[in-house]
Amino acid sequence: MSPLSTLIRGCAKIHSEAELQTKLALGRPLRIKLGVDPTAPDIHLGHGVVLSKLRDFQDAGHEAILIIGDFTAMIGDPSGRSVTRPQLTHDQVLANAKSYQEQAFKILTRERAKIVFNGEWFEAMSFEEVIKLNSRVTLQQMLVREDFRDRLDKGQPIRAHEIQYPIMQGWDSVMVKADVELGGTDQLFNIMVGRDLQREEGQPQQVAMTMPILEGLDGHQKMSKSLGNYVALNESPGDMFGKIMSISDELMVRYYDILLREAIPAGSHPMDAKKSLARRITARFHDEAVAAHALEEFNKRFSSRDLDSAELPDFAPGSARDFVSLVVEAYAQCFQASRSRSDARRLIEGGSVQWRGEKVADAKAVLPPGETGVLKLDKTRAVRIAA
RNA sequence: GGGUAGGUACCGAAGUGGCCAAACGGGGUGGACUGUAAAUCCACUGGCUUACGCCUUCAAUGGUUCGAAUCCAUUCCUGCCCA
């Protein structure tokens, strides 16, 4: 496989392939820009798609320039958004940035990687410079974007600072002299602004390369932290495996295509194909042995419904022994999840909670101390009471 | 600054003095069925030391009333039109 075809594999759109070829012919390492906004501490499989592409470039000898948008994160990228993002404080952003980097290097290699914070240049900008920068872009250009158009049509507010975002992202490209900028397809507009600004600054224009957007676990909306439909890169092997198993067959086709860049093996049972997908993704972010173990555990717990021999967190109940209390405490103690007592009661009444494989019929029932066994809480969570 | 329409639960959206913890739809959760899939059906979806009971909630504050999401006043926020 020639380097070019490797580099453009899995890509949604390039502007343009010819330009990329010209740049590659320069014979020097190219500066490949990827901007990330640390708006949340987790990065997920969706980010992974673009990061993997960046890794492809690294492997081909090019330099990854990861721009941590500590400054832009405070604005919030309006791309694909129907509401204004909440603005974060600088401290939150820095904390997120830290865990962000750790996760990004699960995919990227430290060699040929450079990390820059865009606060470096934006913080130093005077208001005069900001105005000057703004004068290069027209409101019309900004407003033709679909997401803005949409909000305009629906009568939803668009705040003035939001239209700054593409300009700032574009300016990042100028500051790092990017040769190529990567992003999701929803980033195309922002990346193109970068090209405009570079041209005006007399720089060679960056090549815009966009990657397909990965749908979230629900199969409809894009994977994102705020929608809760994501698989984080630092997710535990079991959770990662399990979350992937919960996707629809339809979505699995997409995941195969985008994440593994291959088609589903012909003739295989969808469930087997999914297990294989889950195992491979888990192996990618952990390792083979761990992934194989996750598969085994999954089979035990869900295929053979053998909770007794499955690995479950140990739960040490407090003094309150009625099932409502047990459920609430188990969630808090073993899953860091807070559940109200009403919620717990609903789960019990709905038949979700099982003690030793039997539905708990009476929420007021009391479990005598010393009893041991498995307490199933909901579809995916169960705990073991050991003593 | 003027005019005008609005602000209801996770979202959309009813409700315009008691029958309102608040219709309906979506989403979410749980159950049945399964392959932790889809489709379908059912239930739940503010909280409570355990409830045909109580508490908090309909932008905020204050008021009218036996009683307010609903009426009045003030404030804050948003859309649209005009300047």
Side-chain angles (χ1 to χ4, degrees), chain A residues 95-163:
Chain A
N96 288 344
K98 194 165 168 270
S99 87
Y100 215 104
Q101 286 180 57
E102 283 163 18
Q103 294 171 73
F105 282 108
K106 280 173 181 274
I107 295 178
L108 300 177
T109 162
R110 300 246 174 209
E111 298 159 55
R112 295 183 296 284
K114 193 174 158 190
I115 292 178
V116 283
F117 287 74
N118 66 7
E120 224 175 275
W121 46 86
F122 285 126
E123 243 152 38
M125 255 181 159
S126 70
F127 197 63
E128 192 186 343
E129 289 171 303
V130 174
I131 302 262
K132 223 182 241 170
L133 185 56
N134 270 289
S135 70
R136 302 174 174 210
V137 185
T138 69
L139 210 47
Q140 282 88 342
Q141 281 177 309
M142 294 298 132
L143 294 180
V144 292
R145 295 177 38 144
E146 209 187 331
D147 28 53
F148 283 150
R149 253 273 85 77
D150 233 46
R151 285 211 246 166
L152 225 40
D153 290 345
K154 288 185 185 155
Q156 287 165 337
I158 300 170
R159 328 227 55 131
H161 74 274
E162 294 184 79
I163 63 174

Side-chain angles (χ1 to χ4, degrees), chain A residues 28-59:
Chain A
R28 63 166 171 87
L30 299 179
R31 301 164 65 79
I32 316 300
K33 171 196 170 194
L34 174 63
V36 291
D37 271 2
T39 43
D42 283 345
I43 73 176
H44 52 64
L45 252 31
H47 301 115
V49 174
V50 191
L51 285 167
S52 298
K53 179 48 68 190
L54 188 54
R55 175 66 194 252
D56 286 345
F57 275 95
Q58 285 187 308
D59 289 343

Side-chain angles (χ1 to χ4, degrees), chain A residues 220-233:
Chain A
H220 300 289
Q221 292 173 282
K222 77 176 204 175
M223 184 174 281
S224 89
K225 169 91 176 175
S226 49
L227 293 171
N229 59 359
Y230 69 107
V231 181
L233 298 193

